[in-house]
Amino acid sequence: MRNTTTGMVFLSMLLSGAIFGFFYAWVCSTMWGLDAADPRVAIAAMQAMNASVRNVVFAPAFFGTPFALLLTSGLLLRDGFRSGALGFSLGGVIYLCCGMVLTMIVNVPMNEVLAGVTVPEDIEAARHIWAEYSRPWQVWNQIRTTASGIALLATIGGLISMVPFRRKTTSYPDRNGPR
């Protein structure tokens, strides 16, 4: 395997793990914490987080992952690692469709609507706004988290398929041989 291919394998694995971890953290901590908070605080916090997530640290994992995976797949195919290429290609397509595109057509528009909301002083009004936002947002986030996890598993499978496994053989005496 060429150095460029090896570098891309590692970059692809890093990006896949980073984006899965990012979505996973929203599932099991961030949204639960916001749901437990005063809904006025939750709305303001989510508005701030959504405004801050568009940055140079997040962009490579979010936007670069599918392209890194697909480029890695092409390099692996060139280098003769067909099953490895399949795993990375599958991971790239899954994340592209069910991670990045899903986020852009569902979660981002929901975030933009929330960004336009003025946080109400009335806690019941805020509770209603937050419930209307949080429940469906979390469902879609769980879908993209699952898809990102599957994409990561596909890349791990691609990587494992390239490792030569050798069975340790034990030699047993031939039953029909000399005694």
Side-chain angles (χ1 to χ4, degrees):
M1 185 176 340
R2 299 175 189 184
N3 287 341
T4 304
T5 306
T6 301
M8 284 305 299
V9 165
F10 284 112
L11 178 63
S12 293
M13 298 297 296
L14 179 66
L15 293 173
S16 295
I19 198 63
F20 170 67
F22 176 82
F23 291 147
Y24 179 74
W26 284 90
V27 168
C28 64
S29 63
T30 306
M31 292 307 288
W32 292 350
L34 292 174
D35 284 347
D38 179 316
R40 296 168 294 195
V41 171
I43 293 167
M46 191 67 164
Q47 289 172 331
M49 286 185 278
N50 287 335
S52 72
V53 77
R54 296 175 184 159
N55 62 62
V56 298
V57 177
F58 176 69
F62 182 75
F63 294 107
T65 297
F67 305 107
L69 289 169
L70 295 171
L71 175 59
T72 302
S73 175
L75 293 171
L76 289 170
L77 196 58
R78 175 199 70 190
D79 293 351
F81 295 99
R82 282 191 170 138
S83 55
L86 178 62
F88 280 78
S89 179
L90 184 60
V93 170
I94 290 170
Y95 174 71
L96 178 66
C97 296
C98 301
M100 192 169 86
V101 170
L102 174 68
T103 298
M104 295 174 90
I105 65 172
V106 177
N107 293 84
V108 168
M110 291 177 75
N111 295 343
E112 289 172 352
V113 169
L114 188 69
V117 169
T118 300
V119 180
E121 289 183 30
D122 177 52
I123 193 166
E124 288 308 316
R127 187 171 283 121
H128 176 74
I129 291 168
W130 182 251
E132 291 292 310
Y133 172 83
S134 178
R135 286 183 196 120
W137 192 94
Q138 288 187 63
V139 167
W140 290 107
N141 185 60
Q142 290 169 6
I143 292 168
R144 68 186 182 172
T145 301
T146 301
S148 298
I150 292 168
L152 177 59
L153 290 174
T155 63
I156 291 168
L159 184 63
I160 289 171
S161 75
M162 297 183 309
V163 176
F165 289 102
R166 297 207 170 127
R167 272 184 139 166
K168 191 172 189 177
T169 58
T170 307
S171 92
Y172 295 99
D174 184 5
R175 286 201 249 176
N176 298 325
R179 297 191 190 238

